[in-house]
């Protein structure tokens, strides 16, 4: 699957074959558009002086030169800073080759090719040479096919190599996803779009940033397919790495009819016919919702207290999800004080602010299309205290666009099973617990007490398909400053995803980058910090959600304004003696903060794909978004031996001052306002259902900033693992938001606004509004026929016992089924306490996750087949067509107390709720 040496040879041959391109042919044939690109490109050269020394496009043919100008005129800061012109030139040449060699190349209009084939980036992934690798893998495979057939075939190739698994928010590069064979939907769609573009098929990633009917979000793919007569074409969708018999199909087809927003980014100045939510000189944000759901155009008006339209106010359209009101789109009010959005037929929240004052209200889009908000003339909200209760109703579900024949579904299911076997055969080659030691160098020695076999296996196991890089790193063992204890702590500081895509060179460079510091546990007598502080603020190379690159020694070397007084010639002893004094120490990190303020220009628009710039990239470019600037500052502190970390829950930087962790800010006003005694907030919970609330989806904490509430990210944070939970917070206005969702997606939302003063101790209770019990006669519930058998010889009465049971028909083991299994595992204790049995039917009975479910029987079924019990259940529920998973909670008498089919986040929690009624 790697074939790196072969790829290098093929790349060289391809580049040589392109040396005779037509030097006078334009890539940008519209002279007006071409002139605009040239202007924007020259403006970029003026803005970033580093580009003048890097770029020399004069030797390129005209088409290549114009394509490179187009890319450099509009690429985000991360791409300007962290990749070379040679990388982009290779991207251009492979895109041109695909257009030339693929039979549909001439059918693709220039603007569609420019924005959705040529462009190398899909979303916020790390970049690599996947386009080149995939082109050579796929070009023969799609020969002789129509454009639509080829799109389906490419997706089958993607499924052979990648399947769904939930992961953290950093998006792996496509080849890293390939090595591991697993990725979340954002990674699957990035992988599939890259594969499609590699053979000249226009493709883009589509996102519903949040579902309306349940928590979470989803990403899929749209492909542009030329009409058979070659005149025009249309965008159609597919599930990335989840092939269906036809386009415009996917398990998300019906859920997407309930969306309030489906968006996609278009690189550069784009002039398509889609609705534009946001347009800048660098990119456009497109609203594609009308491709999927019924819509309505809504208009919000914001007025000053005297009733006059408020020009320039900010208007935001929001929706409920994950216990917060997520912003779908942000506009600046026009001269009439208005802004408009096309959205789905459900409830939204409209928010208006002038940066200080704010007003908001719910809008039922089913009933109304206009709303007027008036900002109060009172700007002082320091003593704000209020509770607001809202019922939020999502759009109703629609119907699927395409219904294939049973024969097509069965044939596709058989092919998916075969592709699963290919992928599983590859992952079976990863090291196992039984053989992982055989991969280690024969002379590899370590202290078992400090770095045990179990710890080595833990690291290797997490690396999955990247295991070769981990073993390559181990080959450097032993080293002059390494102790097993230190190495284990160092490797544990990386996330699971880091271990799946990091290189041995980066591991080595980051680990040896602080050799000048005395790192032996508990013996750093010259340092102003303990080993625990060192492990938190110096040791980790990971700072936030960035791809880890080498920055320790390069920052020390390049930042001459500081490095000139850091003498490392005697392994840092002079530096430690001179600078590791409390006052000098404080001077150092404050001077570093001031240098960052003076030398790094910051804006929130230029890095629009939100892929963090590397610390060295920030230093070279001298421009950054705020988040990348914060990562840079923490990295610089660590490079100079100053412990620092970024609290990713609150986006606050902390630096060790020799005694305590001190918060830092890049705003002079904020620096002055940082209290010497921070406030504390204690969150309590006394409810019974759920037993313990979870940050996202049950509650969130938000802080008022610039007229809107910013949500803290305490997901999986140990500070919110049990209650009461106490945290330090800054003075300000806060909102504690909670939500409780009905099975149909309706939410009972509660928002409590409160103020916190410096040094104050505040206690707030997490309150989930109870769901109003349904007034339903049990005799009216659908009931399975008498004598219904769960499996041969096992009746429902015997299986359900006194508690009832769960019937779960998972179908193909795709993302919705995997979500359900993951949720049930997370609630294992509650399901054990309930005591009922779960009967699971799946095409993947060997799946190890299923065997971990409590009180569960797992039965396998051939792809495309229907279990007899499933058939009876569907008939009882009168479901002619349905999506997987099909799930029902059934009592001993066969009454169906609760049922669901298709994608639904929070399904395990719903099952538990109804099991207690």
């Amino acid at each position: 699957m790697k074939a790196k040496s072969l790829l290098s040879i093929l790349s060289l041959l391809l580049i040589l074959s392109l040396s005779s391109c037509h030097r006078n042919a334009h890539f940008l044939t519209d002279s007006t558009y071409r002139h605009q690109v040239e202007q924007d490109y020259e403006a970029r050269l003026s803005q970033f002086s580093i580009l003048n020394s890097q770029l020399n496009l004069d030797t390129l043919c005209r088409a290549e030169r114009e394509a490179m100008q187009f890319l450099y005129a509009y690429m985000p800061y991360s791409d300007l800073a962290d990749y070379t012109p040679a990388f982009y030139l290779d991207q251009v040449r492979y895109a041109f080759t695909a257009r030339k060699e693929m039979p549909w190349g001439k059918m693709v209009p220039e603007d569609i090719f420019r924005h959705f084939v040529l462009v190398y980036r899909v979303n916020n992934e790390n970049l690599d040479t996947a386009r080149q690798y995939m082109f050579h893998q796929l070009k023969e495979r799609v020969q002789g096919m129509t454009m639509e057939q080829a799109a389906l075939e490419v997706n089958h190739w993607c499924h052979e190599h990648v399947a769904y698994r939930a992961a953290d928010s950093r998006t792996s590069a496509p080849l890293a996803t390939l090595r591991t064979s697993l990725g979340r939907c954002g990674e699957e769609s990035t992988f599939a779009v890259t594969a499609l573009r590699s053979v000249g098929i226009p493709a883009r990633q589509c996102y519903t940033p949040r579902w309306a009917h349940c928590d979470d979000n989803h990403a899929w793919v749209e492909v542009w397919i030329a009409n058979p007569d070659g005149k025009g074409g249309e965008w159609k969708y597919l599930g990335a790495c989840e092939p269906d018999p036809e386009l415009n199909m996917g398990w998300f087809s019906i859920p997407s009819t309930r969306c309030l927003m489906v968006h996609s980014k278009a690189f550069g100045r784009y002039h398509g016919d889609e609705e534009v939510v946001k347009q800048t000189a660098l990119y456009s944000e497109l609203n594609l919702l009308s491709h999927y759901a019924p819509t309505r155009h809504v208009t919000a008006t914001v007025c000053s207290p005297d009733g006059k339209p408020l020009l320039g106010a900010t208007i935001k359209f929001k929706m409920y999800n994950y216990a917060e009101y997520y912003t779908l789109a942000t506009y600046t009010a026009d001269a009439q004080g208005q802004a408009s959005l096309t959205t789905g037929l459900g409830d939204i929240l409209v928010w208006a602010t002038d940066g200080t004052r704010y007003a908001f209200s719910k809008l039922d889009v089913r009933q109304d299309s206009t709303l007027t908000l008036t900002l109060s003339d009172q700007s002082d909200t320091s003593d704000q205290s209020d509770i607001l209760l809202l019922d939020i109703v999502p759009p109703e579900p629609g119907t699927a666009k395409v219904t294939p024949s049973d024969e097509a579904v069965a044939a596709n299911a058989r092919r998916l099973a075969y592709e699963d076997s290919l992928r599983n055969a590859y992952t079976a080659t990863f090291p196992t617990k039984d053989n992982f030691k055989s991969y280690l160098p024969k002379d590899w020695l370590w202290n078992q007490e400090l770095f045990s076999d179990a710890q080595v296996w833990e690291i290797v196991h997490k690396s999955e398909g990247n295991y070769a890089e981990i073993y390559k790193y181990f080959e450097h063992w032993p080293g002059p400053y390494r102790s097993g204890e230190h190495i284990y702590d160092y490797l544990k500081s990386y996330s699971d995803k880091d271990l799946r895509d990091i290189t041995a060179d980066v591991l080595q460079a980051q680990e040896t980058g602080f050799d000048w510091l005395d790192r032996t546990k508990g013996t750093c007598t010259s340092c102003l910090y303990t080993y625990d502080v060192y492990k938190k603020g110096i040791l980790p190379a990971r700072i936030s959600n960035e791809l880890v690159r080498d920055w320790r020694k390069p920052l020390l070397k390049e930042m001459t304004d500081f490095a000139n007084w850091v003498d490392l010639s005697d392994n840092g002893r002079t530096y430690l003696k001179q600078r590791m004094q409390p006052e000098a120490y404080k001077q150092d990190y404050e001077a570093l903060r001031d240098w960052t303020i003076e030398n790094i220009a910051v804006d929130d628009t230029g890095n629009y794909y939100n892929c963090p710039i590397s610390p060295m990239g920030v230093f070279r470019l001298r421009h950054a978004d705020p988040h990348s600037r914060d990562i840079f500052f923490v990295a610089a502190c660590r490079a100079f031996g100053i412990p620092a970390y970024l609290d990713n829950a609150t986006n606050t930087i902390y630096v060790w001052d020799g005694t305590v962790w001190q918060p830092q800010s890049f705003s002079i006003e904020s620096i002055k306002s940082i209290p010497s005694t921070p406030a504390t907030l204690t969150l309590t919970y006394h409810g019974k259902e759920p037993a313990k609330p979870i940050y996202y989806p049950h509650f969130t904490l938000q802080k008022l900033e610039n007229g809107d509430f910013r949500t803290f990210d305490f997901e999986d944070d140990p500070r919110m693992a049990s209650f009461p939970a106490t945290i330090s917070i800054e003075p300000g206005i806060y909102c504690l938001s909670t939500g409780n969702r009905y099975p149909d997606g309706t939410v009972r939302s509660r928002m409590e606004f409160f103020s916190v003063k410096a040094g104050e101790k505040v206690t707030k209770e997490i309150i989930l509004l109870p769901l109003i019990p349904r007034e339903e006669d049990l005799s009216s519930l659908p009931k399975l026929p008498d004598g219904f058998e769960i499996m041969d010889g096992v009746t429902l009465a015997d299986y359900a016992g006194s508690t009832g049971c769960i019937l779960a028909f998972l179908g193909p083991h795709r993302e919705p089924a995997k979500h359900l299994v993951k949720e049930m595992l997370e609630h294992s204790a509650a399901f054990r306490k309930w005591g009922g049995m779960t009967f699971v039917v799946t095409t993947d009975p060997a799946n190890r996750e299923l065997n971990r479910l409590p009180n569960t029987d797992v039965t396998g079924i051939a792809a495309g087949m229907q279990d007899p019990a499933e058939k009876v259940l569907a008939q009882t529920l009168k479901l002619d067509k349905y999506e997987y998973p099909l799930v029902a909670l059934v009592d001993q008498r066969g009454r169906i107390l609760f049922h669901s089919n298709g994608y639904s986040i929070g399904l395990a929690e719903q099952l538990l709720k109804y099991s207690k009624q």
Side-chain angles (χ1 to χ4, degrees):
M1 296 180 71
K2 301 171 185 175
K4 291 183 178 178
S5 59
L6 177 60
L7 179 59
S8 299
I9 295 171
L10 291 172
S11 297
L12 178 59
L13 292 174
L14 179 65
I15 291 171
L16 291 173
S17 72
L18 292 170
S19 61
S20 59
C21 66
H22 298 290
R23 304 195 67 83
N24 293 322
H26 282 291
F27 167 61
L28 304 173
T29 59
D30 183 297
S31 59
T32 301
Y33 191 89
R34 184 169 64 247
H35 181 64
Q36 181 66 65
V37 170
E38 290 170 351
Q39 284 186 322
D40 293 339
Y41 173 72
E42 292 298 329
R44 269 288 172 94
L45 294 183
S46 299
Q47 183 181 10
F48 301 103
S49 58
I50 186 175
L51 297 181
N52 290 284
S53 60
Q54 290 182 348
L55 288 169
N56 180 14
L57 307 184
D58 294 339
T59 60
L60 304 181
C61 69
R62 178 178 286 174
E64 290 177 350
R65 182 169 65 251
E66 291 175 359
M68 288 288 283
Q69 288 175 337
F70 172 75
L71 294 181
Y72 269 94
Y74 307 117
M75 66 177 59
Y77 291 166
S78 58
D79 301 353
L80 289 170
D82 288 328
Y83 303 91
T84 66
F87 173 85
Y88 298 116
L89 181 57
D90 215 19
Q91 295 285 325
V92 167
R93 287 174 169 168
Y94 268 84
F96 284 179
T97 298
R99 180 170 64 173
K100 178 181 177 182
E101 294 191 8
M102 295 299 116
W104 46 81
K106 294 180 180 180
M107 301 179 187
V108 179
E110 179 184 312
D111 61 333
I112 297 293
F113 177 86
R114 182 172 64 232
H115 296 280
F116 303 110
V117 176
L118 173 69
V119 174
Y120 53 88
R121 177 173 288 287
V122 179
N123 198 333
N124 61 348
E125 76 277 11
N126 305 301
L127 302 179
D128 62 17
T129 57
R131 184 197 291 265
Q132 295 90 311
Y133 175 82
M134 291 172 172
F135 174 79
H136 293 294
Q137 291 290 307
L138 289 167
K139 66 176 182 177
E140 298 298 331
R141 184 161 173 161
V142 298
Q143 285 299 322
M145 295 182 177
T146 66
M147 198 174 187
E148 185 157 346
Q149 289 170 340
L152 292 167
E153 187 63 29
V154 168
N155 203 28
H156 276 287
W157 180 86
C158 292
H159 179 250
E160 288 177 13
H161 295 281
V162 177
Y164 176 81
R165 178 179 62 186
D168 65 42
S169 61
R170 180 171 70 81
T171 304
S172 291
L175 291 182
T177 303
L178 182 73
R179 281 193 298 273
T180 297
S181 284
L182 292 166
R184 58 179 173 78
C185 63
E187 289 162 330
E188 287 182 302
S189 52
T190 295
F191 186 83
V193 169
T194 303
L196 289 157
R197 290 180 181 177
S198 78
V199 289
I201 299 176
R204 60 191 181 192
Q205 183 189 63
C206 302
Y207 248 113
T208 180
R210 296 289 189 272
W211 292 114
H213 69 288
C214 67
D215 289 326
D216 215 337
N217 57 13
H218 188 55
W220 59 89
V221 174
E222 283 189 351
V223 292
W224 188 91
I225 302 298
N227 293 328
D229 61 5
K231 298 178 180 179
E234 63 176 312
W235 289 99
K236 299 183 178 184
Y237 68 84
L238 57 83
C241 304
E242 296 179 324
D244 284 289
E246 301 179 38
L247 295 180
N248 285 340
M249 288 186 64
W251 60 259
F252 54 88
S253 289
I254 293 177
S256 68
T257 66
R258 309 185 73 181
C259 288
L260 294 170
M261 169 68 75
V262 175
H263 70 181
S264 184
K265 278 190 173 72
F267 181 104
R269 294 183 184 270
Y270 179 64
H271 304 307
D273 57 6
E274 301 92 340
E275 178 181 354
V276 175
V277 176
K278 181 178 182 179
Q279 190 161 42
T280 74
L282 300 177
Y283 74 101
S284 297
E285 189 91 22
L286 310 179
N287 182 1
L288 308 177
L289 182 62
S290 62
H291 294 190
Y292 302 91
T295 63
R296 176 169 286 172
H297 198 67
V298 299
T299 299
T301 304
V302 57
C303 298
S304 58
D306 59 6
K308 295 181 179 179
L310 199 56
L311 171 67
T314 298
I315 298 178
K316 299 183 178 183
F317 297 91
K318 296 171 175 277
M319 64 171 291
Y320 178 91
N321 189 283
Y322 271 142
E324 66 168 346
Y325 285 89
Y326 175 87
T327 299
L328 294 171
T330 301
Y331 296 96
T332 300
D334 61 17
Q336 287 74 45
Q338 294 182 341
S340 300
L341 175 73
T342 299
T343 188
L345 305 183
D347 291 343
I348 62 173
L349 201 70
V350 183
W351 192 282
T353 180
D354 62 0
T356 303
R357 301 170 297 174
Y358 65 88
F360 65 94
S361 180
K362 185 179 86 169
L363 175 64
D364 182 349
V365 181
R366 289 172 295 270
Q367 303 295 326
D368 300 303
S369 61
T370 61
L371 178 70
T372 298
L373 296 171
T374 300
L375 297 187
S376 168
D377 58 2
Q378 181 179 354
S379 60
D380 183 9
T381 57
S382 57
D383 291 321
Q384 179 172 333
S385 179
D386 193 15
I387 295 176
L388 179 65
L389 310 182
L390 292 173
D391 283 346
I392 303 297
V393 182
E396 291 293 322
T399 57
K401 284 187 176 182
V402 174
T403 302
S405 67
D406 292 341
E407 292 78 11
V409 171
N412 190 67
R414 289 191 295 271
R415 186 171 182 186
L416 294 182
Y418 172 68
E419 291 161 0
D420 287 338
S421 71
L422 297 178
R423 187 177 59 257
N424 293 336
Y426 166 70
T427 58
T429 65
F430 298 172
T432 67
K433 193 172 184 179
D434 294 329
N435 69 10
F436 78 94
K437 292 178 69 175
S438 66
Y439 290 78
L440 292 167
K442 293 182 179 179
D443 57 349
W444 198 71
L445 301 173
W446 71 100
N447 188 327
Q448 283 282 347
E449 293 181 359
L450 299 180
F451 198 11
S452 67
D453 281 356
Q455 291 170 336
V456 175
W457 164 239
E458 175 189 349
I459 301 301
V460 171
H461 181 55
K462 288 180 177 180
S463 71
E464 297 180 342
N466 198 44
Y467 64 89
E469 293 295 321
I470 303 302
Y471 284 115
K472 183 179 177 182
Y473 168 70
F474 284 156
E475 288 176 5
H476 296 285
W477 191 283
Y481 295 97
R482 297 174 180 80
S483 69
E485 186 174 37
H486 164 80
I487 293 299
Y488 179 64
D489 286 342
Y490 169 64
L491 293 173
K492 281 279 288 182
S493 72
Y494 287 101
S495 70
D496 290 359
K497 185 173 289 184
D498 290 336
L499 295 174
R500 297 197 295 266
D501 64 11
I502 200 165
T503 67
D505 291 342
V506 170
L507 281 172
Q508 181 71 8
Q510 282 287 355
E511 194 260 322
T512 58
F514 38 53
D515 278 348
W516 59 279
L517 289 174
D518 183 354
R519 303 170 308 169
T520 306
K521 187 171 183 178
T523 64
C524 187
T525 57
S526 57
C527 298
L528 292 179
Y529 43 79
T530 64
Y531 183 80
D532 286 341
V533 172
Y534 163 82
K535 189 166 72 170
K536 181 171 185 152
I538 294 286
L539 183 69
R542 151 78 50 235
I543 296 169
S544 183
N545 62 331
E546 77 283 6
L547 175 70
V548 178
R549 294 177 169 92
D550 181 21
W551 47 257
R552 292 189 194 269
K553 285 184 177 178
L555 278 179
L556 269 178
K557 180 181 178 182
E558 296 295 335
M559 295 191 67
T560 54
D561 292 344
F562 290 85
N564 58 5
W565 47 255
V566 179
D567 181 7
L568 304 183
S569 59
D570 59 351
N571 203 37
R573 284 188 291 271
T574 299
Y575 170 76
L576 291 173
K577 181 177 180 180
Q578 293 178 351
R579 306 306 298 178
M580 287 297 178
Q581 305 297 327
E583 286 306 314
Y585 195 67
K586 183 178 180 181
Q587 291 171 5
D588 291 349
Y589 70 71
E590 288 183 347
L592 187 55
R593 182 193 63 206
D594 294 343
W595 184 94
T596 303
I597 293 173
E598 293 170 5
N599 291 277
I600 307 300
V602 176
D603 66 67
D604 58 4
T605 59
N607 202 33
Y608 57 89
Y609 272 108
N610 298 319
C611 183
I613 312 169
S614 72
M616 284 305 299
V618 171
F619 178 80
R620 288 189 296 264
L621 198 64
R622 302 299 172 97
H623 279 72
D625 57 284
H627 184 56
S628 297
R629 182 269 320 274
D630 292 351
I631 292 172
F632 164 80
F633 175 72
V634 171
C637 285
R638 292 179 180 179
F640 284 94
I642 302 169
Y645 73 93
L646 177 61
D647 186 335
N648 288 292
T650 62
N651 286 332
T652 303
I653 297 172
Y654 289 91
V655 176
W656 184 255
D657 72 352
T659 305
V660 296
W661 292 104
Q662 289 286 359
Q664 296 295 305
S665 173
F666 288 101
S667 164
I668 300 300
E669 291 74 16
S670 297
I671 293 172
K672 293 178 181 178
S673 66
I674 293 176
S676 56
T677 55
T680 60
L681 172 65
T682 298
L683 298 178
T684 64
Y685 179 70
H686 306 293
K688 296 181 180 180
E689 184 62 43
K692 183 182 73 173
I694 301 172
Y695 198 94
Y696 303 137
H698 298 127
F699 75 100
T700 59
L701 180 66
Q702 304 152 25
K703 184 175 186 291
L704 181 64
E705 296 179 356
N706 302 317
D708 194 7
F709 284 86
R710 177 176 64 86
T711 302
F712 294 151
D713 186 5
F714 283 105
E715 184 177 19
D716 299 325
D717 194 302
R719 288 170 288 185
M720 295 293 173
S722 60
F723 299 93
T726 300
I727 58 173
S728 295
I729 58 174
E730 298 176 353
I733 307 296
Y734 289 84
C735 175
L736 178 60
S737 175
T738 65
N740 204 0
R741 195 181 288 272
Y742 288 95
D744 68 357
T746 299
V747 174
R748 299 201 69 196
S749 166
R750 181 181 188 272
M751 292 183 285
E752 181 173 1
F753 302 91
F754 59 96
S755 59
V756 177
K757 299 177 181 178
E760 189 176 9
K761 296 181 179 180
V762 177
T763 298
K764 291 293 175 182
E765 182 181 358
I766 298 170
I767 298 175
L768 274 69
L769 298 177
L771 300 182
I772 300 172
R774 60 187 181 187
E775 297 180 2
E776 188 170 16
D777 184 356
L778 290 179
S779 64
S780 68
L781 292 174
K783 182 178 181 298
L784 292 167
D786 294 339
F788 174 77
E789 290 190 347
I790 298 290
M791 42 191 157
D792 288 343
V794 180
T795 66
L796 174 66
D798 291 335
Y799 197 79
S802 60
T803 58
C805 65
I806 294 170
L807 308 179
F809 303 96
L810 304 184
H813 210 61
R814 301 169 91 171
E815 182 173 340
K818 292 179 180 180
H819 273 296
L820 172 60
V821 173
K822 178 176 180 288
E823 290 178 11
M824 293 185 74
L825 286 172
E826 291 170 348
H827 290 82
S828 289
F831 280 107
R832 286 193 183 92
K833 185 177 179 181
W834 167 55
M837 296 294 295
T838 298
F839 178 66
V840 172
V841 178
T842 176
T843 59
D844 187 20
N847 187 289
R848 288 177 294 180
E849 298 295 292
L850 295 174
N851 296 325
R852 294 170 52 205
L853 293 173
N855 306 328
T856 297
D857 292 310
V858 178
T859 295
I861 191 169
M865 300 298 290
Q866 188 180 47
D867 184 84
E870 175 189 342
K871 185 176 182 179
V872 174
L873 177 61
Q875 290 173 342
T876 302
L877 294 172
K878 300 179 180 180
L879 298 174
D880 294 330
K881 297 289 183 180
Y882 55 90
E883 299 291 332
Y884 291 107
L886 174 61
V887 182
L889 176 67
V890 185
D891 70 8
Q892 190 178 31
R893 298 182 184 180
R895 295 176 299 194
I896 301 173
L897 307 176
F898 169 82
H899 65 89
S900 172
N901 75 92
Y903 177 81
S904 181
I905 296 296
L907 184 53
E909 191 171 316
Q910 295 288 347
L911 287 167
L912 288 169
K913 285 179 183 178
Y914 280 87
S915 70
K916 299 174 182 178
Q917 292 187 5

